[in-house]
Amino acid sequence: MKVVYGLHQLILEGTFREFPVVGLVGDRVVHGKIDELERKPEANGTASHAIYLSDCKTRGWPHLPPPRDTVSGRVQLMVYKELFDALLVPSTMTGPKVETGHDAAEKDNADILPTSHTSVFDQIFEKFHLHPDAPFSSSCLRDYQRSIGSVLDEDLNPSRAKTLGDLVVLWDAYTAKLGLGQRDATHRVTSSPVLKIVYRGSKPMQGKPTGSIIGESRFTHNRLWLSEHLAWALDYWSGTRDPVGVGRATASTCDNCEFFQDCEWR
Ligand code: SF4
């Protein structure tokens, strides 16, 4: 429900914070909140606008972290982009995977990525045994009407949604209004590959108040790197490989580790 409201606000205001996303990474359900979405006019082919994702991190030092300490932040934002882009695929799009121009080298791990599949909603409904045609309960409907109450859109009339299936139709209609270009069975639209992490001070520093911007880091979405990293991480969480200690270059992270005293890798 909030995602529909978020898209409405994104179209109306050009920005939305704390945008919820959900989807499958491998066979695991992953959800999170994108710190900020921005929609900017940007003509490109059939597209009139582009959408940019950004995340915010706080730091106790008045400088940007070295690249080796930004891996988790970059992975997080790339996963959010994958989850968001997967939600942009029209629910009526069926059949085999959509051609997205992926590098052949991705193939081994590509199934891990949310955008490697069609219809994320079908996947989620199946995973949680949800019936898209079942009517919302009265309390669910009341919550929905409350959250969507301020949304006035005569074309789409979001207050008419009475089932999950209705919400998916509504979501599709809003995504078509984003202006990201033509969507059909062979062409999917995505958010911008340029991602941004903004670092803010967690305390007053150098005469500036808490929350002041220290700097920002921009990087490009990399499906191959992400799919390899996620495959490596999921191997640990599924018990198919042993954990490994941090390398020499990142040994400073051990300073705050609760396993420091007994660590076998140090
Ligand atoms: S102390 Fe050991 S477990 Fe903790 S971060 Fe360092 S290598 Fe990893």
Side-chain angles (χ1 to χ4, degrees):
M1 297 172 184
K2 192 171 178 187
V3 292
V4 172
Y5 177 73
L7 277 198
H8 177 84
Q9 291 301 106
L10 192 59
I11 293 168
L12 206 65
E13 311 277 351
T15 182
F16 191 78
R17 294 187 62 79
E18 304 274 304
F19 191 95
V21 281
V22 64
L24 292 183
V25 174
D27 62 350
R28 288 157 195 269
V29 176
V30 173
H31 61 89
K33 284 183 181 169
I34 301 169
D35 263 353
E36 186 168 33
L37 285 178
E38 281 183 283
R39 177 175 176 261
K40 298 178 181 175
E42 203 172 293
N44 184 6
T46 58
S48 61
H49 289 76
I51 290 181
Y52 292 86
L53 279 69
S54 63
D55 194 26
C56 183
K57 302 286 183 205
T58 54
R59 278 180 66 74
W61 295 274
H63 50 77
L64 292 175
R68 65 170 183 265
D69 291 344
T70 66
V71 172
S72 61
R74 281 185 284 142
V75 168
Q76 180 189 19
L77 196 48
M78 286 190 203
V79 168
Y80 284 175
K81 172 180 164 52
E82 285 283 323
L83 294 172
F84 181 74
D85 287 351
L87 289 169
L88 295 178
V89 178
S91 61
T92 52
M93 191 181 277
T94 57
K97 290 174 192 173
V98 178
E99 185 52 60
T100 55
H102 304 160
D103 192 294
E106 278 184 59
K107 283 184 177 162
D108 283 350
N109 299 318
D111 280 355
I112 285 178
L113 299 180
T115 53
S116 294
H117 305 277
T118 55
S119 189
V120 63
F121 293 107
D122 287 348
Q123 289 179 307
I124 297 290
F125 293 164
E126 189 181 334
K127 193 86 178 166
F128 291 107
H129 309 293
L130 298 171
H131 299 286
D133 297 328
F136 292 144
S137 66
S138 53
S139 63
C140 183
L141 203 54
R142 204 167 42 243
D143 287 347
Y144 170 64
Q145 301 284 5
R146 198 178 298 141
S147 68
I148 212 82
S150 59
V151 175
L152 294 173
D153 191 321
E154 289 177 0
D155 293 345
L156 303 179
N157 193 1
S159 63
R160 276 190 314 196
K162 302 286 189 291
T163 66
L164 282 174
D166 291 346
L167 275 182
V168 173
V169 172
L170 198 56
W171 168 265
D172 274 349
Y174 270 112
T175 52
K177 290 179 86 172
L178 287 172
L180 300 182
Q182 185 184 350
R183 304 183 310 157
D184 57 38
T186 56
H187 182 253
R188 70 172 40 173
V189 298
T190 64
S191 56
S192 169
V194 179
L195 302 169
K196 180 175 74 173
I197 298 178
V198 179
Y199 293 91
R200 293 178 179 274
S202 59
K203 56 189 178 187
M205 281 182 282
Q206 298 179 331
K208 295 178 183 168
T210 300
S212 297
I213 293 178
I214 296 169
E216 60 182 46
S217 158
R218 287 174 194 264
F219 52 95
T220 304
H221 187 59
N222 186 329
R223 286 178 52 92
L224 175 59
W225 179 83
L226 180 64
S227 60
E228 288 177 347
H229 184 91
L230 292 175
W232 175 79
L234 287 178
D235 277 351
Y236 167 69
W237 289 109
S238 57
T240 55
R241 74 162 171 84
D242 291 328
V244 291
V246 300
R248 281 180 185 277
T250 45
S252 60
T253 58
C254 302
D255 295 346
N256 300 316
C257 178
E258 60 182 303
F259 307 110
F260 182 88
Q261 294 298 335
D262 304 313
C263 180
E264 63 189 89
W265 295 298
R266 289 187 52 81

